Structure formats: C-alpha cells, structure tokens
Amino acid sequence: MTIDKSNKYDRQLRLWASTGQSNLELSHICLINGTTTGSEILKNLILPGIGNFTIIDDKEITTNDLAGNFFLTNDNIGQLRASALCESLMELNEDSKGHAITDSLDEIDDSVWDRFNVVVVSDYIDPEFLDTLKTKLFKKEIPLFIVNTVGFYGTINLIINEITVIETHTSQLFDLRIDQPWQELSELSDSYQLDSLDDSDHAHVPYVIILMQALRSWSDSHNGPPTTMTEKRQFKKFVQDQSRNFTFETNFNEAVSSVFRAYQKTQVPSMVKSLMNNDKISDKNLNNETPFFWILIRALKSFVELYGNLPLPGTLPDMASDTNNYITLQNLYRDKAAKDKELFIEEVKRVLTIIGRLDGLTALEIELINIFCKNSHSIHVTSGSSQMTSKSLLEQMLSNKSNDYDNEEYNHLAIYFGIMTFNHFIKQNNHVPEESDYDNFIKLFSEVFECHPDLPLSALKTFKEIVCHSSSHYHNISSLMGGIASQEVLKIATSQYVPLDNLYVFDGIRSQSDKYKI
Amino acid sequence: MELLGKIGPYNEVADEYDAAASVEALSESKVLVIGAGGLGCEILKNLSLTGFKKIHVIDMDTIDISNLNRQFLFRLKDVGKSKAEVAAKFVESRTQGVEIVPQFCKIQDKPLDYYKQFVCIICGLDSVEARRWINATLVTLAGEDIIIPLIDGGTEGFKGQSRVIFPSINSCYECTLDLVTPKITYPVCTIATTPRLPEHCIEWANEIEWPRIHSTKFDADNPDHVEWMYQTSLARAESFNITGVTKSLTLGVVKNIIPAIASTNAIIAASCCNEAFKLITNCNPMLDDYMMYSGDESIFTYTYKNIKKSDCPVCGNDLKVVKAEKWWNLKEFIEEIKHQKDIQMTNPSLSTKFQKLYFSSPESLRLATEKNLQMKLSDLVGDEEVIVTDPKLPISLRVRIVFN
C-alpha cells in the first residue's frame, strides 16, 4: 500500500487492517437496479476502495429517478441508468473501477455472475426471476443481498450457503493458561519468591504470577482448584490476604478483580468443538475440493487431540508491573504462540498430504494461518438458507397480538410480509399500491402466502401504512438501508466481523429494528 | 412529496394534519447543521433531498486527506479548504432550489441570537465539548421559552447513536454524560518509569519529552512534528525492549483517532434526518428519545428513553451530591470532579458564596487561590453549595459535598 492510501484509508484500516483492505480491493460487487438505495450502497463501498463494481440495469432515467438520488441530475434524463450512475459514482474514488451492463436481466449469460463476490438486488425485480437468481447464486456460493425500501420501512435478506469468519473481533477473552501453565511459564512463576521481595518489587509482580502461585498453593492444600461458590469466594480472599497493603498494591487489586481467570478452566469453546465434529471434515468427505477454511478446522482438530488445547493466541493484557517483569512475561506468551503456530502448520501440511495437495503453502495461506491461530477460539460459522420465508416465520407474524407500537415486541414481521406483498402487487398490477388498493393488497397477501386474510391489528395497520406511503424514493430510508446493507457487504468483502444472519427489518416510524433467521 | 399527501395509520395528530402545511414547513423551516464532516456531509445531502430548502452549516475544520474515505463531498483538490464552504457548494450544485449558508468558524464564536433563528439543529460532531456547549446553549434559550429541538448523531467504527433532545423537556446531553466513553489515560508513573505498552512510550514522548524539548505546541498536522513524535517514541520503546510502536499507532494516540467509515455515518445521519423530517412535517411520530446502533456483530439496535436527571448541571434544579473522603485536601477533591463520568471537567474552578476555593484561570486568580489546594477540604467547606465551572463550558454545576 502506498503512503497515500494508508493516509487516505487510515480511519478504516484501524478497523480491518491491511488484510481486510486488500480483500476489499480484490472484491467485485454487482448491483441490480440503479435505485437510490443501490446508489447509496455503492457510494459507501466505493469510498473505502472496493476494487470493482458493476451495475445491471436496462432502464432509462426519468424525473422519478431524480427525486431522491444524489448521483443523478436533470442532465441525465433519458440516459441509461446503469451507465450514467456508473460514471457519476466512479468520480468518488479513483481506486474503484465501475462497469455498466444495460441488458435486461433475463438476457444475462450465466457465466457473468462468476465475476462477482457479492450481488445486491435493490427494490423491485420480478419475484419469479428473483427466485431463479437466488437458486443460481446459492448454488454458485455467491452471497446475495436483497434490499427493499418502502416509505418509512426497509428490509435486508442475506441469502448465502455458509458464512465462515476467522477474524470476528468479538473476543474479549485472554487465553492465559493460569490453570495449565506450560513448562517455561511454570518455571518463571517459580522464580518469584514473593515473601523475600522488598515492598516496591512486591507491588510490581504481574497478577498472572500472583494468581498462578495462589492457585498452586490452594490446590495443594484443598485437593484441587476452587470449584464451589464458597471456595471461589475463599480463594479470592486468599489472594487478597497476600497483599501487604491492598489500598496501594495495584497488582493485587488487579489479581483480585481478575481472580476468575485463575479458576476458570482453559478449554476448547463448545462452538469450536462442534466445528471440529462437522461432517465436512470427516475422512470420507475430506477431499481436494474442501475449502481451505475447513482444512484449517481439520488441522485444528488434530492439534487439539495432540496437545489438548487450541493454539495459544499469545496476547497478554496490560497489567501493573515494572517493565522488565512484564516484557519477560509477554515474550514467554509470544514465544509459545510462535511455537504453537509452527506445530499447527505441521498439522495443516499433514491434512494437505492426505487430500493429495503437495505444492506447499502459499504466502497468503501462511498469513491466513497466522490470523487463524490468533483467533481460533472465536471463529464464527453459520449456515444460511436459500428461502425468503418459512411456515414458522409466517405463523410468528400472524400470531403477534401486540398492539402497543411503543413496545419492542411490536410486529416487525408485518413489515417484511408487507414489503414482499408490495413487490407481488407491482408484478400483478404494474404499479405500486395506493391507499385505495388496501383491500386488494390484503387479498393478494393471503393468496401469495396461502393463508386466511384474518390478520392481527398490527399487520393491518402496517399494511395500511405501506399503501399510504408506498414511495421507494424517501431518501432518508434509502440512505439508512443503503448504509446498513453496505456495512454487511463490507463484512463479507473484508472477511472480517460477523454479518447478518439472515433477515433484518427496520421500522423508521418507531426507529426500532429486529432480525430473524429463516 | 409522495410521503406527505396521505395520512398514515400511525400519525399521532391525524385530526390536525395538513399535507400542504407540511410541505410548506419543509421548505420554509430554517435548520442548522453543526459539523460538515462524516456525518455532516450525509446530513446535508439527506436534508436537501427530502424537501428542506433553508440550511446553515457550521464547521471550523479544513479538509484533510484522511477525510476522503467517507466525506464524499470532498475531493483530493479540496484538501486544505473549509469543509463547510466546499460541502455547501457541492450540495447546492447537485440539488435545485436549496440554499446552504456555510459558516467557517467555531460554534462558540456565534452569539446566542444567531441560534434563535433555527427551527431545529442537527449535530454531527466528533467533539464531546462542542456537544456540551450547544446543548447547554439551547437549554439556556429554553429558559426564554425558545425551544429548539436538538437532533444529535455520533459514530465510532461500526457503532453509532442518534437521539432527540427537546431542551428542558426531556433528558439533555449533559443528563447522560456518563454514556460517553472517557479518553484512555495512563498513570504518570507508568509513563515516566515503568512503561509496558507502545502507547506508554508514545504518551511519554507526547506529554513529557515534547514540552521539555520544544517551546512550540505540538501540531499533529505537521509532518515534521509527527515524525519527531514517532522517532522519539520508537527510541523510548527500544530502550525498554517494547515492540509495536508504529507511525499509525503514534498518530492514533496523540490525535486520539476514532475509527470511522462511510456506512456507519450514512446510517446515523439518515436516522437523524428521518427524525428531523418527522419533526417538521408531523407525518409520523418521532424517536423518543435514543437509538443506539451496533454493527460489530450482526446488526443490533436498541431504542429507549433516557431519564431526565433532576440534578443535571444544565437542565436540572437540584444540587448534585458528590461524596468525598474526610481526609481529602482540595486538590484530591478536584481530581475526583475531573474524573467523575457525569461531570468530566478538565480545568474546573470552585467557589462558595463565602470564598473562591480555586480558580484555574485567569492566572492572577489561580495564583491567589493555589494555596488552598493543599488544605483539607473539610476545613474549607461545610454543607454550603459549591459552584463548579470550567472555562470551556457554559455550565455552572452546583454541588453539595457529603463526607464519608
């Protein structure tokens, strides 16, 4: 990265670092429909420097398009939406390259989709075509976002087979191994004779050492570490009593407030355990098509079987100590982490040999292993769905009896079903519903979702709101939903942070939102 | 406007609602946008695309290259120019019939009368101090029966919040000051004698070495200054075998940089403008009164109402009770005041109706009251009211001290 780029992108590099940035720069996003919301999504991705974007749209610009779109002006009327928008948006950042496809959706060749890392559909496309596209992309494992805005409402679906995130940035935990010190750590702890230290040195012993020593002497006299609430309380007091002056010894204060780190057992989190039992990495399913992420999980499984724990991340939190004590301790953690990583790489190579890949690891894969070892305790994996609705989701909406719209439990799903009905209404009538279409709108809902039109009051009110305020050009909601959708695209593109799973509904009247899993 | 013609089922004033009046209100209402940065650019765009015609924007800053990853009204050629002026011109060129008046100055430079002309103020700031100032100013105006709603947005990384303040009616910014994450500070003895983190070394260079060696103030926008800070921090770190001092971290620490991206700004700005739109048009109910957004892990929002504090130094009437140890001297009490999350003053001055306890400025008064710092607090004050002020804030906090 040039100096210029690190300066220009400074505020975001602090969130996803250069690894996230290069992933973003290699990404290509496709937007179907050059709507206001779509333009806002692209704006928020072009500014941070997404590599490529493509707009698919065969429509011409009308005055209606200008109403809420900052990137089109009067001069654009009559031009093709895809080309005009592409040109206007490219001006935002010379690092992003834009492309326009002005064919109609059904003319687009199947292979075109393979160019994209992410596809976004904004507002209306023919529901039947959406179904086909969904199936197609799901099979190709290309994530699809469906973003809708109507009046004060907005929804986002994320259609994707599987999400795997290594750098989730979620873990606040430190893996310190106080209960299971490795040999060097044990030796370092033993080298401290707390009683013989002068007062100043005594106040500068890192709490990791204090807790390790306390845990050992407690375990010796109590047949093991504290387990019951009473024992834990006694252990805490035991630690505090070793301080010479608890008001002034910050290190002992920290030891007491971090005392749980001593009696908490170091173990593999259940989420990671379940990943290691995933069928994808069983002997019969593992093959040379297995994605690298799952190869790492398989290697992790062997690592844990061999060494009992996950690779040590090697980060030590700051703690009261003099410089020397702290740096010595920090180096010990770092060295162990480096050794664990080497051992882990051996396991990865073993798995690669099993599946017949003998070309060795690439620099990029080594970099990924680096990140993997630091984050293996907080990996995130979920499976998605290719569906936009389900029986139980519909049931949940129909049975919501909350009538108090200030209440958090108010019927957000009515917005979602209302917006899906809205798109079916356009398909059926070639125009957006208006207030006078209210009865037909309800009828259409019950036809599409094959249910009795006996709706709860909250749904009736929300449907009424949708037909009264049926514009998709209200800029605030377009901008807000565009912001949220682009945030989720960024997570997918950088391969960092946990994205939506998998339906989000925003209510701009109540300024509340909710999410659901289909 | 398509959204205003029909009365929706959630409209709370359906009987009085008048679509034509709402449309007119949008084009006639004068609104002020404070800040033309990440949020400000979005806010100006949103307002002008939703029917607002009379907008003022105020910002004291000029454009920096690190703004370009999100402040989409600025280009490389604009670096160094006034944010307010460039932003106003750009939005005017893209929209029709919208007038945006830029003010290239500090909000504190404008007289009270300036603020009276607005129907609503929308804030997109990164400074707590500026927010406290405008909040207190609007509560003062509320005392003259001029209620100007304040819609405030803020972001940090993937997170943000928007809120609506009706000065003196619901909770104000100062009521919830404890929600603000205080700046990370390190104990002086750690920085001076036992550094462990790269940050400690940078703070040493910044707080101890710079003032010792240089007579000028450190300027984070001066590349020579930054280079010196980085090299000095690095040398310090190396002498203690500490790793991890980088130029990026150095800048992060000395400038107190908060991560920022376009998408979060878009979300929060749009939420603020949605509330402004509902406020002016009455077409739907408003946020009451706080929405927090978090995109760190999936998407999460939480909407709730803050509590108006009766002992809020800005909008409350009650004395604030501050607990003190019997053995404290005045200096220790002042440290307590500085660090309490719901007070957060940097240079407080204290007085009672009987005497000036301590004045941080002007210099003559500081010298005259300095001797009190070492005196025992309980010898100086009984249960009378103590007035605490700070030169940077238009606030006088009324405190009663209770000894433990």
Side-chain angles (χ1 to χ4, degrees), chain A residues 12 14 40 43 70 74 318-319 321 323 334 405 410 435 462 474 487 491 498 508-509 511 513 515, chain B residues 3 6 10 12 42 45 69 75 94 96 195-196 243 248 260 263 274-275 278 295 298-299 301 303:
Chain A
Q12 70 204 44
R14 292 170 194 277
E40 292 293 313
K43 177 200 76 192
F70 192 70
N74 265 331
D318 186 32
M319 58 191 72
S321 161
T323 306
R334 287 182 178 173
Y405 81 79
Y410 197 67
E435 198 179 5
T462 295
Y474 175 42
Q487 187 118 284
K491 294 179 192 173
V498 177
I509 296 173
S511 300
S513 75
K515 52 184 187 289
Chain B
L3 279 181
K6 296 282 185 314
Y10 293 109
E12 285 179 323
E42 287 281 343
K45 174 201 67 170
N69 82 326
R75 302 289 177 267
R94 282 282 173 98
Q96 284 184 330
R196 300 175 297 272
T243 52
S248 160
S263 51
N274 183 36
E275 299 312 326
K278 292 189 285 183
S298 190
I299 310 170
T301 63
T303 304

Side-chain angles (χ1 to χ4, degrees), chain A residues 134-145:
Chain A
K134 223 166 48 163
T135 319
K136 203 177 284 177
L137 296 177
F138 197 76
K139 224 176 255 164
K140 288 177 182 283
E141 302 191 12
I142 299 169
L144 168 67
F145 285 91

Side-chain angles (χ1 to χ4, degrees), chain A residues 341-457:
Chain A
K341 191 183 82 188
E342 292 311 317
L343 294 172
F344 180 74
I345 289 177
E346 288 311 307
E347 294 315 309
V348 177
K349 286 181 178 161
R350 223 186 295 277
V351 180
L352 291 176
T353 317
I354 295 173
I355 62 168
R357 228 198 81 179
L358 305 164
D359 54 346
L361 289 160
T362 65
L364 231 90
E365 285 168 338
I366 295 278
E367 175 64 31
L368 201 64
I369 291 175
N370 243 328
I371 295 169
F372 187 87
C373 286
K374 286 204 175 83
N375 294 282
S376 66
H377 52 295
S378 56
I379 290 166
H380 172 90
V381 175
T382 44
S383 330
S385 161
S386 65
Q387 300 305 312
M388 286 182 73
T389 180
S390 69
K391 268 260 168 301
S392 68
L393 200 71
L394 181 65
E395 203 39 57
Q396 197 181 337
M397 189 279 272
L398 292 173
S399 62
N400 189 315
K401 298 285 180 247
S402 169
N403 284 325
D404 171 14
Y405 81 79
D406 276 338
N407 194 306
E408 263 185 66
E409 304 300 315
Y410 197 67
N411 205 344
H412 280 108
L413 278 175
I415 296 173
Y416 180 59
F417 281 94
I419 285 182
M420 279 195 291
T421 308
F422 177 87
N423 284 336
H424 281 279
F425 188 95
I426 298 176
K427 160 99 173 164
Q428 190 185 53
N429 302 282
N430 263 320
H431 65 83
V432 299
E434 284 162 29
E435 198 179 5
S436 54
D437 297 314
Y438 181 53
D439 294 335
N440 284 334
F441 191 86
I442 293 171
K443 200 163 145 266
L444 181 61
F445 161 79
S446 67
E447 282 164 23
V448 172
F449 296 101
E450 297 171 345
C451 63
H452 198 274
D454 187 14
L455 288 160
L457 193 63

Side-chain angles (χ1 to χ4, degrees), chain B residues 29-208:
Chain B
S29 298
K30 215 186 243 186
V31 292
L32 172 66
V33 178
I34 299 182
L39 283 164
C41 286
E42 287 281 343
I43 292 169
L44 289 172
K45 174 201 67 170
N46 297 348
L47 292 176
S48 62
L49 289 174
T50 49
F52 286 89
K53 303 277 185 216
K54 295 180 176 169
I55 305 168
H56 279 228
V57 58
I58 184 165
D59 197 315
M60 59 182 275
D61 271 347
T62 53
I63 298 160
D64 180 77
I65 185 162
S66 66
N67 300 145
L68 303 182
N69 82 326
R70 60 196 187 284
Q71 301 178 12
F72 65 98
L73 303 176
F74 311 141
R75 302 289 177 267
L76 204 55
K77 63 174 170 46
D78 301 320
V79 168
K81 296 182 193 161
S82 149
K83 285 187 177 180
E85 285 166 7
V86 175
K89 211 174 198 172
F90 194 108
V91 174
E92 278 185 341
S93 78
R94 282 282 173 98
T95 49
Q96 284 184 330
V98 181
E99 185 199 12
I100 304 181
V101 182
Q103 308 282 354
F104 181 26
C105 63
K106 290 169 79 163
I107 52 171
Q108 291 87 345
D109 295 344
K110 291 282 176 194
L112 201 57
D113 271 345
Y114 173 76
Y115 293 99
K116 287 183 185 170
Q117 61 181 310
F118 301 106
V119 180
C120 165
I121 294 178
I122 307 174
C123 247
L125 285 160
D126 56 5
S127 147
V128 173
E129 197 180 288
R131 280 201 186 89
R132 290 175 80 177
W133 188 89
I134 189 68
N135 177 66
T137 302
L138 293 183
V139 174
T140 306
L141 283 179
E144 301 173 24
D145 282 334
I146 303 170
I147 307 278
I148 304 172
L150 176 66
I151 302 176
D152 180 51
T155 68
E156 175 172 357
F158 288 100
K159 295 191 208 120
Q161 79 283 330
S162 54
R163 69 186 295 179
V164 178
I165 297 168
F166 287 91
S168 85
I169 295 168
N170 66 339
S171 73
C172 77
Y173 188 73
E174 201 75 18
C175 288
T176 58
L177 196 62
D178 50 356
L179 294 176
V180 177
T181 4
K183 186 182 180 299
I184 303 167
T185 53
Y186 303 99
V188 177
C189 61
T190 301
I191 296 170
T193 58
T194 59
R196 300 175 297 272
L197 303 182
E199 287 88 345
H200 296 155
C201 303
I202 298 166
E203 284 293 17
W204 177 82
N206 187 25
E207 285 176 12
I208 297 175

Side-chain angles (χ1 to χ4, degrees), chain B residues 279-292:
Chain B
L279 169 78
I280 301 298
T281 63
N282 275 322
C283 66
N284 261 322
M286 281 186 81
L287 168 65
D288 185 21
D289 54 17
Y290 192 102
M291 179 183 86
M292 74 80 117

Side-chain angles (χ1 to χ4, degrees), chain A residues 4 20 45-46 54 60 100 115 118 150 218 225 247 333 354 379 395 444 452-453 501 503 514:
Chain A
D4 228 7
L45 294 168
I46 293 166
T54 293
E60 281 177 11
R115 292 177 202 163
V118 182
V150 178
W218 171 281
T247 318
Y333 277 86
I354 295 173
I379 290 166
E395 203 39 57
L444 181 61
H452 198 274
D501 180 28
L503 167 65
D514 216 336

Side-chain angles (χ1 to χ4, degrees), chain A residues 104-248:
Chain A
S104 81
L105 275 174
D106 41 22
E107 289 169 47
I108 287 168
D109 190 79
D110 246 20
S111 64
V112 170
W113 303 110
D114 297 327
R115 292 177 202 163
F116 310 126
N117 305 82
V118 182
V119 176
V120 178
V121 172
S122 169
D123 293 338
Y124 177 82
I125 63 171
D126 183 330
E128 275 167 40
F129 184 83
L130 182 60
D131 242 17
T132 328
L133 181 68
K134 223 166 48 163
T135 319
K136 203 177 284 177
L137 296 177
F138 197 76
K139 224 176 255 164
K140 288 177 182 283
E141 302 191 12
I142 299 169
L144 168 67
F145 285 91
I146 302 163
V147 188
N148 280 291
T149 53
V150 178
F152 290 86
Y153 296 141
T155 60
I156 301 174
N157 296 80
L158 173 53
I159 310 276
I160 186 173
N161 322 44
E162 178 182 86
I163 300 170
T164 57
V165 190
I166 299 171
E167 270 180 283
T168 53
H169 299 265
T170 51
S171 180
Q172 309 290 326
L173 298 169
F174 290 100
D175 184 355
L176 297 177
R177 309 274 161 102
I178 292 171
D179 63 328
Q180 300 169 34
W182 62 95
Q183 196 191 340
E184 289 85 350
L185 183 58
S186 238
E187 285 168 10
L188 180 73
S189 169
D190 291 345
S191 71
Y192 283 86
Q193 303 283 329
L194 258 56
D195 290 341
S196 62
L197 297 176
D198 68 29
D199 282 354
S200 167
D201 286 347
H202 196 261
H204 286 96
V205 176
Y207 77 72
V208 169
I209 304 287
I210 296 173
L211 289 178
M212 255 189 317
Q213 292 200 355
L215 188 66
R216 174 164 315 168
S217 71
W218 171 281
S219 300
D220 287 350
S221 56
H222 291 77
N223 284 322
T227 47
T228 64
M229 282 298 280
T230 320
E231 283 176 339
K232 285 175 181 172
R233 214 173 302 129
Q234 286 168 348
F235 179 70
K236 190 171 174 175
K237 178 142 195 321
F238 175 66
V239 173
Q240 182 167 346
D241 286 347
Q242 291 178 38
S243 173
R244 292 184 190 165
N245 183 338
F246 196 66
T247 318
F248 293 110

